[in-house]
């Protein structure tokens, strides 16, 4: 406590001394300030007074402070400078005054002009208002004239089914059911979109007896179908699955009929219902035999004449594969064309009709009388004679080595297991299918299974018996994939099969492969085909195929793009108009509702045509692609090219038959911002460019401070779900043009080269048109295909790192091409360009087109790309061989055709002068 007191006292003493010091310092500062103020204020006043008034001496020499004469003042040396400054300032003041007066006069003139402009603006506003009134009146008059000359059209009112709907008047004969008297069109307006309601089989008693694999596959494909709806009140069609049943469950017809009539929307007669019975085995029960199905359609693989209603019921293929996609590795190749056996047949007839033929009678005598009831004896004798002749190697067996599969009466039962039958068919050029001898059996599961297996392995089906109803026969042209021969011509079958050329045989095998993949192979293809058959019959347009929604990445555009002299300065090679036009989208293809009336199925063979084997979208597997062409895109349509005559000169014309068109650049990139920015800047000023879609393939977003160049057209940066080279060919909804220029971010192309490639593509819209060419070669020692990038006059591929193609192929690549190919691309992160070349050549049966003379197009100085890796070519070798297995043959075609402009200065290396080019 004492210490604290002392510290406190000491603190007080020090504080008093400090205050005294501060007070004394303030006194001194105040005094000094006052003294300086007196000196600075009064001293100038006193000096001025003495200089002006105190000097009053009479003598001139004694006037020290008085005013002096001008000459005397200027003679003073130290004031000469002041005089010069005064004169200079006076002159400047005079000049400034003159300028001020001049500016005042200009301001006055400008004010007059402003007033005149205001008056002109007011007059222009009045004129504009008058023009608007005139335009409004003109539009009103035009609408009145159109209303007078055109009928008022509107969408039809949607009719919904009523719960107490009594249905249509019953037909006189239940077998007389056709669409006009058993189908309610009012529930399926043209604008309805064809909604389909699928019953949940698990809610009914028979659903517990269904084959689990069939039920699971059917439910999965129904959930993914674009037409299926959960709202039963708006449905146009109602679908119920009743088979295949598990063994040894036997459902009595009366019980099944009772359950069908108890369906919530059956409405006494089942109109607008489809009953589907899918079979997985050749001995599948005909569940619906002796079952009254009312006005409901029946889709199954076995029909008797007493239950089949042509044009109303549907013959479907059996559900052998419930998987999502066939195993292409187990499917044999389509070449060589000729196989070990000319034709094969294995089967055993357990029960046959009584034959009216006698062994002694001749075949000609048989034809003179009434048609015999059963030709099987004659068929057996004829085929055995062909086998014994040994003119060709054939294999026919009419007795099974093991127990034959169960079959219907008069039907040839299958022998052995499915794997054994497939191994034999892989060695067969043709596969004989002998129809049942019972004329009342329209189609059986056994015949459908034989047809399925033959198409699966590439054996051309030869059906003996023209009375049979093949699956989807009223829509498919089976004569392009199979031979249907009447049984009386069995003696001519050998001659007929030997007369087919290799090209015709390969075309039929390829078409059969297409039919199998599109309509038979999976539950999804069967269900889509059933719906497409019905939808086509009632003339409702197909749903447009979907487009990929582009998730845009926000970015800043403020960097003015420069002009690379190496890219834009073409010298005298001006291959396009200098002026650019605003973005212009290709005309959308809006399907006309009346076009469905003229639709008919046409399958494509190997003859020249725009499409082959993949002519359909997943949602519309029956209509020709030219008519539908992917819903939202335009087709390869003929459009008039002008007034004719001499036409435009080359420099002013764009080529092709579409008068006005632009293209979209799709650029794939992955974390190479500097390279990407340089590539985008090189597109500045490119004619006919609609927009640029940058596919950002990296999970890491672009830098926030990255400034994107302003190239005069929109740049859309699209974010992808995963890093995949398949994203290059996704049909993004932001692509509004038919023409797509796929280009790498390090590609280095001149504007004149791009323009010339666009011109060439417009003349060949169904081809890939690009710059870097490659070719495939057969490796004799290893018996496999090789990818070759060496310089050559011959090519079979054009890399899509710099190539034009139609947006149609983006849909096919992403949605129709086998998934196994896209999986291979993701696995190797490679080969997407090879896959696109395979697809286009497979469809068109034409090679790509190479333009200009560029042998390399990579950006000099850019970072190293994936293609420089040592494993790059080994992976591409494996890709080609895998793609060949998937397609079943090598679709790529060689060509030495190259398109060069006569205005393009070709610089050929000295070792390439031997190449012959077409101009």
């Amino acid at each position: 406590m004492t210490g604290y007191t002392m510290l406190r006292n000491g603190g007080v003493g020090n504080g008093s001394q400090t205050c005294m010091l501060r007070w004394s310092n303030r006194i001194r500062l105040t005094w000094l300030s006052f003294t300086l103020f007196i000196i600075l204020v009064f001293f100038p006043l006193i000096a001025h007074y003495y200089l002006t008034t105190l000097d009053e001496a009479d003598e001139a020499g004694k006037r020290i402070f008085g005013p002096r004469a001008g000459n005397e003042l200027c003679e003073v040396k130290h004031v000469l400078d002041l005089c010069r400054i005064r004169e200079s300032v006076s002159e400047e003041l005079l000049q400034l005054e003159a300028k001020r007066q001049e500016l005042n006069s200009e301001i006055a003139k400008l004010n007059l002009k402003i007033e005149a402009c205001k008056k002109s603006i007011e007059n222009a506003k009045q004129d504009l208002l008058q023009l608007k009134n005139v335009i409004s009146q003109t539009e009103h008059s035009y609408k009145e004239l159109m209303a007078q000359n055109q009928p008022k059209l509107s969408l039809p009112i949607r009719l919904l089914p009523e719960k107490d709907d009594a249905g249509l008047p019953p037909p006189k004969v239940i077998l007389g059911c056709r669409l006009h008297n058993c189908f309610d069109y009012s529930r399926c307006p043209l604008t309805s979109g064809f909604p389909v309601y699928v019953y949940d089989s698990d809610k009914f008693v028979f659903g517990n007896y269904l084959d689990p694999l069939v039920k699971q596959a059917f439910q999965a494909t129904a959930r993914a179908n674009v037409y299926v709806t959960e709202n039963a009140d708006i449905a146009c069609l109602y679908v119920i699955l009743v088979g295949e049943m598990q063994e040894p469950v036997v459902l009595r017809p009366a019980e099944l009929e009772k359950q069908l009539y108890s369906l919530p929307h059956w409405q006494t007669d089942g109109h607008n219902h489809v009953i589907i019975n899918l079979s997985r085995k050749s001995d599948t029960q005909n569940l619906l035999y002796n079952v009254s199905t009312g006005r409901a359609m029946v889709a199954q693989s076995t029909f008797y004449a007493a239950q089949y209603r042509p044009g109303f019921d549907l013959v479907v293929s059996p559900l052998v594969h419930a998987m999502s996609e066939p195993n292409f590795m187990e499917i044999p190749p389509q070449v060589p064309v000729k196989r070990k056996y000319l034709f094969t047949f294995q089967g055993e007839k357990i029960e046959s009709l009584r034959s009216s033929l006698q062994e002694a009678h001749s075949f000609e005598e048989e034809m003179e009388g009434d048609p015999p009831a059963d030709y099987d004896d004659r068929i057996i004798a004829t085929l055995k004679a062909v086998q014994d002749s040994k003119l060709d190697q054939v294999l026919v067996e009419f007795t099974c080595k093991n127990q034959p599969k169960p079959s219907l009466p008069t039907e040839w039962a299958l022998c052995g297991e499915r794997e054994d039958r497939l191994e034999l068919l892989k060695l067969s050029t043709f596969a004989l299918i002998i129809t049942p001898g019972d004329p009342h059996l329209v189609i059986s599961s056994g015949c459908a299974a034989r047809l399925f297996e033959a198409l699966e392995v590439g054996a051309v089906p030869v059906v003996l018996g023209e009375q049979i109803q093949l699956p989807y026969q009223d829509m498919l042209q089976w004569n392009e994939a199979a031979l249907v021969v009447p049984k009386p011509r069995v003696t001519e079958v050998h001659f007929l099969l030997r007369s087919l050329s290799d090209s015709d045989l390969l075309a039929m095998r390829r078409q059969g492969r297409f039919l199998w993949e599109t309509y038979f192979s999976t539950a999804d293809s069967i269900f889509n085909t059933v719906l497409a058959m019905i939808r086509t019959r009632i003339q409702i347009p197909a749903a447009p195929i979907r487009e990929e929604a582009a998730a845009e990445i926000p970015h800043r555009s403020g960097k003015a793009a420069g002009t690379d002299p190496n890219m834009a300065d073409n010298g005298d090679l001006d291959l396009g108009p200098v002026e650019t036009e605003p973005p212009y989208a290709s005309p959308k293809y809006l399907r006309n509702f009346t076009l469905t009336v003229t639709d008919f199925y046409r399958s494509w063979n190997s003859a020249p045509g725009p499409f082959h084997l993949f002519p359909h979208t997943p949602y519309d597997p029956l209509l020709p692609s030219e008519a539908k062409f992917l819903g939202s895109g335009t087709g390869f349509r003929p459009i008039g090219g002008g007034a004719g005559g001499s036409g435009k000169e080359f420099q002013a014309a764009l080529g092709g038959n579409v008068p006005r068109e632009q293209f979209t650049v799709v650029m794939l990139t992955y974390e190479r911002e500097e390279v990407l920015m340089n590539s985008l800047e090189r597109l500045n000023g490119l004619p006919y460019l609609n927009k640029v879609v940058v596919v950002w393939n990296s999970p890491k977003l672009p830098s926030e401070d990255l400034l994107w160049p302003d190239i005069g057209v929109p740049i859309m940066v699209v974010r992808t779900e995963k890093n995949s080279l398949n994203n290059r060919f996704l049909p993004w909804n932001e692509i509004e043009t038919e023409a797509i220029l796929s280009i790498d971010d390090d590609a280095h192309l001149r504007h004149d080269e791009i323009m010339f490639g666009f011109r060439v593509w417009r003349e060949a819209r169904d081809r890939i048109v690009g710059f870097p060419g490659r070719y495939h070669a057969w490796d004799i020692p290893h018996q496999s295909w090789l990818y070759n990038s060496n310089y050559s006059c011959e090519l079979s591929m054009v890399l899509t790192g710099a190539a034009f193609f139609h947006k149609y192929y983006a849909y096919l690549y992403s949605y129709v091409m086998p998934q196994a190919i896209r999986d291979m691309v993701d696995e190797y992160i490679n080969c997407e360009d090879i896959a696109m070349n395979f697809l286009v050549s497979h469809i068109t049966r034409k090679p790509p087109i190479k333009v200009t003379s560029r042998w390399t197009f990579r950006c000099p100085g850019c970072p190293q790309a994936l293609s420089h890796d040592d494993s790059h070519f080994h992976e591409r070798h494996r890709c080609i061989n895998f793609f060949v297995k998937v397609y079943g043959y090598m679709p790529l075609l060689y060509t030495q055709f190259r398109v060069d402009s006569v205005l393009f200065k070709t610089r050929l290396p000295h070792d390439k002068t031997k190449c012959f080019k077409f101009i």
Side-chain angles (χ1 to χ4, degrees):
M1 191 68 174
T2 306
Y4 172 76
T5 305
M6 291 174 63
L7 179 63
R8 183 181 180 191
N9 294 335
V12 172
N14 294 334
S16 300
Q17 295 177 3
T18 304
C19 291
M20 292 296 293
L21 292 174
R22 290 179 180 175
W23 180 78
S24 61
N25 290 335
R26 289 180 180 175
I27 295 278
R28 293 175 183 174
L29 291 175
T30 303
W31 173 252
L32 292 175
S33 300
F34 179 76
T35 305
L36 290 175
F37 176 77
I38 295 297
I39 293 173
L40 294 176
V41 173
F42 289 96
F43 181 76
L45 294 177
I46 296 172
H48 182 269
Y49 175 78
Y50 277 103
L51 290 174
T52 54
T53 60
L54 294 180
D55 191 4
E56 295 178 355
D58 293 333
E59 297 83 358
K62 294 181 179 181
R63 291 189 303 165
I64 301 173
F65 300 101
R68 297 175 180 270
N71 295 332
E72 294 178 357
L73 183 61
C74 290
E75 291 177 356
V76 180
K77 185 176 182 180
H78 63 275
V79 296
L80 291 178
D81 294 337
L82 296 177
C83 294
R84 287 194 295 272
I85 292 173
R86 185 185 63 181
E87 294 175 358
S88 176
V89 170
S90 300
E91 292 178 0
E92 290 181 359
L93 290 175
L94 293 176
Q95 292 177 0
L96 289 175
E97 179 64 21
K99 288 183 179 180
R100 186 183 68 82
Q101 294 179 359
E102 183 180 356
L103 291 175
N104 287 335
S105 62
E106 291 181 0
I107 290 173
K109 293 179 181 179
L110 291 176
N111 289 332
L112 294 177
K113 290 183 179 180
I114 290 173
E115 294 296 329
C117 289
K118 289 182 179 180
K119 293 181 180 179
S120 300
I121 291 173
E122 293 295 330
N123 296 333
K125 288 182 178 179
Q126 295 295 330
D127 295 340
L128 179 61
L129 183 61
Q130 293 178 1
L131 288 175
K132 288 183 178 180
N133 294 332
V134 172
I135 292 174
S136 177
Q137 294 176 1
T138 304
E139 290 179 349
H140 183 70
S141 302
Y142 175 76
K143 291 180 180 179
E144 290 182 349
L145 292 175
M146 295 296 293
Q148 294 176 1
N149 297 327
Q150 290 184 355
K152 294 183 179 180
L153 298 177
S154 61
L155 295 176
I157 299 176
R158 181 70 189 275
L159 300 179
L160 300 178
E162 300 179 359
K163 294 184 179 180
D164 56 350
D165 184 10
L168 300 172
K172 296 181 180 180
V173 182
I174 197 63
L175 288 180
C177 253
R178 300 295 184 270
L179 289 176
H180 69 276
N181 59 358
C182 288
F183 191 85
D184 188 1
Y185 281 89
S186 64
R187 298 166 70 172
C188 305
L190 294 175
T191 57
S192 64
F194 192 59
V196 177
Y197 179 78
V198 179
Y199 288 101
D200 186 2
S201 301
D202 293 333
K203 296 182 179 180
F204 306 97
V205 177
F206 60 85
N208 299 325
Y209 305 140
L210 292 176
D211 187 316
L213 189 59
V214 173
K215 182 169 63 175
Q216 181 181 359
F218 181 81
Q219 291 175 348
T221 186
R223 286 192 298 266
N225 193 275
V226 68
Y227 297 109
V228 173
T229 178
E230 296 181 358
N231 187 358
D233 295 332
I234 65 171
C236 162
L237 198 68
Y238 299 88
V239 179
I240 181 67
L241 178 69
V242 299
E244 175 178 67
M245 293 290 180
Q246 302 181 61
E247 295 180 354
V249 176
V250 177
L251 195 63
R252 292 181 300 175
E255 185 179 355
L256 179 59
E257 182 177 330
K258 180 180 178 181
Q259 295 184 31
L260 289 177
Y261 277 73
S262 65
L263 293 175
H265 306 282
W266 187 264
Q267 297 182 355
T268 71
D269 59 2
H271 60 274
N272 292 47
H273 277 64
V274 180
I275 305 173
I276 299 180
N277 179 22
L278 298 178
S279 61
R280 293 185 59 240
K281 300 180 294 293
S282 61
D283 58 337
T284 300
Q285 302 173 2
N286 189 358
L287 293 175
L288 300 176
Y289 191 68
N290 292 328
V291 174
S292 176
T293 58
R295 287 189 172 88
M297 301 178 188
V298 177
Q300 60 181 10
S301 301
T302 301
F303 277 105
Y304 281 97
Q307 66 177 142
Y308 179 68
R309 296 164 292 185
F312 192 73
D313 293 330
L314 294 91
V315 178
V316 300
S317 61
L319 181 61
V320 178
H321 296 296
M323 65 184 73
S324 60
E325 192 171 85
N327 186 0
F328 294 100
M329 302 304 294
E330 297 180 359
I331 301 176
Q334 299 183 24
V335 289
V337 178
K338 299 293 180 63
R339 297 178 177 177
K340 178 179 179 180
Y341 298 107
L342 178 64
F343 63 84
T344 59
F345 177 81
Q346 285 181 324
E348 182 174 342
K349 197 168 187 179
I350 301 175
E351 181 181 355
S352 62
L353 297 176
R354 182 177 57 85
S355 176
S356 62
L357 303 179
Q358 300 296 331
E359 293 296 334
H361 290 175
S362 65
F363 196 78
E364 289 76 7
E365 292 175 349
E366 297 166 9
M367 296 303 295
E368 292 177 358
D370 295 332
D374 192 358
Y375 281 99
D376 290 348
D377 295 339
R378 175 61 63 181
I379 291 174
I380 294 174
T382 303
L383 296 181
K384 283 185 176 180
V386 174
Q387 185 178 21
D388 295 339
S389 67
K390 303 201 176 161
L391 294 175
D392 292 290
Q393 193 170 2
V394 300
L395 190 150
V396 289
E397 295 178 353
F398 301 103
T399 303
C400 296
K401 298 178 182 179
N402 299 320
Q403 183 67 25
K405 300 295 181 182
S407 62
L408 297 174
T410 75
E411 182 185 16
W412 287 92
L414 294 172
C415 295
E417 299 299 328
R418 167 178 158 80
E419 291 75 14
D420 299 331
R421 297 194 301 270
L422 291 180
E423 290 300 322
L424 178 60
L425 290 174
K426 291 177 181 179
L427 303 176
S428 307
T429 305
F430 297 93
L432 293 184
I433 301 175
I434 304 177
T435 60
D438 186 359
H440 301 291
L441 188 57
V442 177
I443 183 65
S444 65
S445 298
C447 287
R450 289 181 181 272
L451 180 65
F452 181 95
E453 292 174 356
L455 296 176
E456 181 179 4
V457 297
V460 178
V462 180
V463 182
L464 290 177
E466 80 284 0
Q467 80 282 358
I468 194 174
Q469 288 289 327
L470 297 177
Y472 323 120
Q473 186 167 330
D474 54 343
M475 290 290 179
L476 303 183
Q477 290 187 357
W478 277 104
N479 60 339
E480 296 180 352
L483 294 174
V484 181
V485 182
K487 286 185 177 181
R489 294 190 179 276
V490 64
T491 56
E492 301 174 322
V493 168
H494 188 205
F495 166 78
L496 178 62
L497 300 185
R498 296 189 67 181
S499 64
L500 287 177
S501 64
D502 289 353
S503 59
D504 292 339
L505 182 56
L506 182 59
M508 296 182 69
R509 182 175 295 167
R510 201 157 45 223
Q511 183 65 14
R513 172 72 175 271
F514 160 69
L515 295 180
W516 179 78
E517 290 183 2
T518 308
Y519 310 115
F520 293 78
S521 58
T522 63
D524 186 64
S525 60
I526 294 175
F527 186 66
N528 286 335
T529 304
V530 169
L531 296 186
M533 288 269 294
I534 300 173
R535 184 192 49 71
T536 305
R537 286 177 176 178
I538 63 178
Q539 301 175 357
I540 292 183
I545 196 169
R546 67 183 179 91
E547 292 186 307
E548 286 294 321
E552 184 179 5
I553 299 177
H555 59 281
R556 293 187 301 165
S557 298
K559 179 182 176 183
T563 302
D564 189 347
N566 296 324
M567 305 302 296
D569 185 12
N570 302 318
D572 57 349
L573 302 177
D574 192 3
L575 302 181
V578 178
E579 68 277 1
T580 59
E581 56 181 347
Y584 170 76
S586 298
K588 293 293 184 182
Y589 180 80
L590 302 177
R591 186 180 180 86
N592 194 314
F593 290 105
T594 59
L595 189 60
T596 58
V597 181
T598 62
D599 278 338
F600 64 94
Y601 175 79
R602 178 171 52 172
S603 58
W604 298 97
N605 54 21
S606 59
F611 303 102
H612 177 64
L613 300 185
F614 277 133
H616 313 291
T617 67
Y619 306 144
D620 189 15
L622 290 177
L623 300 182
S625 53
E626 295 104 329
K628 141 180 83 57
F629 207 73
L630 304 170
S632 63
T634 55
F636 302 143
R637 60 201 184 283
I639 298 180
S646 59
K648 296 182 179 180
E649 62 183 19
F650 182 80
Q651 182 174 346
L654 186 59
N657 293 310
V658 181
R660 185 184 182 195
E661 188 173 24
Q662 294 179 340
F663 62 90
T664 302
V665 168
V666 176
M667 187 177 295
L668 187 73
T669 187
Y670 186 90
E671 296 185 4
R672 297 202 295 181
E673 295 180 354
E674 183 179 357
V675 175
L676 175 64
M677 296 301 107
N678 294 334
S679 297
L680 292 176
E681 287 185 1
R682 288 194 292 267
L683 299 177
N684 184 31
L686 180 61
Y688 301 107
L689 179 59
N690 180 270
K691 69 172 60 171
V692 179
V693 176
V694 177
V695 182
W696 191 264
N697 224 22
S698 171
K700 180 181 177 182
L701 296 179
S703 303
E704 296 182 358
D705 57 348
L706 181 63
L707 285 179
W708 295 70
D710 183 5
I711 61 175
V713 297
I715 297 179
M716 173 71 64
V717 185
V718 178
R719 184 176 185 177
T720 58
E721 296 181 357
K722 64 176 183 178
N723 178 20
S724 172
L725 293 180
N726 293 315
N727 297 330
R728 179 195 296 273
F729 302 124
L730 284 174
W732 302 104
N733 58 353
E734 292 296 333
I735 301 177
E736 300 177 327
T737 61
E738 296 179 10
I740 296 177
L741 173 58
S742 175
I743 189 169
D744 289 339
D745 57 1
D746 58 354
H748 203 73
L749 293 175
R750 293 168 54 96
H751 286 187
D752 60 308
E753 293 174 331
I754 296 176
M755 284 306 306
F756 183 65
F758 183 47
R759 296 171 62 98
V760 175
W761 177 86
R762 283 169 52 84
E763 302 284 353
R765 306 174 70 87
D766 60 337
R767 316 269 285 271
I768 297 179
V769 177
F771 302 89
R774 301 290 186 266
Y775 66 96
H776 67 289
W778 180 252
D779 185 6
I780 297 178
H782 298 88
Q783 293 295 295
S784 62
W785 294 102
L786 295 177
Y787 171 83
N788 203 316
S789 63
N790 295 332
Y791 297 150
S792 172
C793 302
E794 192 170 57
L795 62 99
S796 59
M797 293 174 282
V798 166
L799 301 186
T800 55
F804 285 93
F805 63 89
H806 201 285
K807 188 180 179 181
Y808 176 63
Y809 297 124
Y811 293 100
L812 294 184
Y813 185 98
S814 302
Y815 304 138
V816 181
M817 188 180 70
Q819 180 64 35
I821 297 180
R822 294 190 292 271
D823 293 341
M824 185 80 166
V825 172
D826 287 337
E827 179 182 356
Y828 286 158
I829 316 179
N830 199 344
C831 308
E832 85 286 356
D833 47 0
I834 301 178
M836 177 59 80
N837 278 270
F838 265 72
L839 174 66
V840 177
S841 296
H842 176 61
I843 293 172
T844 63
R845 305 305 303 134
K846 299 177 183 177
I849 297 178
K850 174 179 170 57
V851 295
T852 78
S853 62
R854 275 188 173 267
W855 301 100
T856 179
F857 66 103
R858 292 295 176 188
C859 170
C862 291
Q864 195 173 31
L866 293 174
S867 58
H868 294 279
D869 191 358
D870 294 338
S871 62
H872 175 75
F873 287 95
H874 297 288
E875 293 173 350
R876 294 174 85 81
H877 298 330
R878 290 191 289 269
C879 286
I880 286 185
N881 287 279
F882 177 77
F883 296 164
V884 169
K885 290 182 179 179
V886 173
Y887 285 98
Y889 75 111
M890 169 54 76
L892 298 179
L893 300 173
Y894 293 108
T895 181
Q896 292 191 3
F897 180 83
R898 194 187 81 200
V899 182
D900 282 355
S901 169
V902 294
L903 302 181
F904 192 87
K905 296 180 179 179
T906 303
R907 300 177 180 89
L908 286 178
H910 63 87
D911 58 338
K912 302 300 180 297
T913 55
K914 61 181 180 181
C915 295
F916 182 79
K917 67 176 181 178
F918 293 84
I919 298 178

